[in-house]
Amino acid sequence: MERFSETLNDVLVPVDGSRAGYAALKMACSLTRRNKGAIYAVYVIEVARTLALDAEMAPDAEKAEEVLLRAEQIAGELDGKIEGEILQAREAGHAIVDEAIERDVSAIIFGVEYETPLGEFELGRTAAYVMQHAPCQVVMLRAEAQEQG
């Protein structure tokens, strides 16, 4: 892992308010600390095709702001600095890959949840798209299984 972290400079971390997204952010802080790399946290609002791409999405934007604020707090606790951005797109995967290209990041660190409500592990369409189309390294961090109550 140490050799891998030597190659990381700037990284992109999609966050959505999930445990997995915040775990990926913590990993990014740890891995970029040595090189003082930049961390770009992005929250993607998916816009339905029936709406204009730049449509006002107030409830989604409020949630995005809360998630990015929490991401900044987490990074601050780990002496990391992040730049947060809200993106609106038809598909989250496309937006993440486009942002990685635009920012010329060395990696995308992506958190995925342990299981779906049906009890099965699925990668999901966004993570699958990012894995297939990213122009850089992709690190998938699967969140730990939640204990059954």
Side-chain angles (χ1 to χ4, degrees), residues 3 11 22 31 55 58 101 104 112 134 143-144:
R3 182 171 283 162
V11 299
Y22 292 138
L31 291 174
I101 292 168
D104 193 29
V112 293
E144 294 180 31

Side-chain angles (χ1 to χ4, degrees), residues 17-48:
S18 67
R19 290 180 324 119
Y22 292 138
L25 178 64
K26 290 176 184 177
M27 176 183 269
C29 289
S30 175
L31 291 174
T32 60
R33 186 173 298 131
R34 166 181 272 162
N35 299 334
K36 298 187 185 337
I39 300 170
Y40 303 105
V42 296
Y43 184 103
V44 181
I45 298 171
E46 289 188 313
V47 181

Side-chain angles (χ1 to χ4, degrees), residues 57-104:
M57 307 287 289
D60 294 314
E62 288 176 23
K63 180 181 180 198
E65 290 289 349
E66 290 173 14
V67 169
L68 289 174
L69 180 61
R70 179 66 185 130
E72 289 173 1
Q73 291 170 340
I74 289 169
E77 292 167 4
L78 299 170
D79 294 327
K81 293 192 182 202
I82 66 169
E83 183 178 320
E85 185 169 357
I86 301 169
L87 307 174
Q88 285 191 193
R90 300 286 183 214
E91 302 269 339
H94 293 258
I96 292 165
V97 169
D98 288 349
E99 193 72 8
I101 292 168
E102 185 175 315
R103 293 190 180 271
D104 193 29

Side-chain angles (χ1 to χ4, degrees), residues 119-139:
E120 299 172 358
F121 177 77
E122 291 181 5
L123 191 55
R125 68 180 169 86
T126 300
Y129 184 89
V130 170
M131 287 292 291
Q132 186 174 5
H133 298 288
C136 57
Q137 299 178 79
V138 177
V139 177

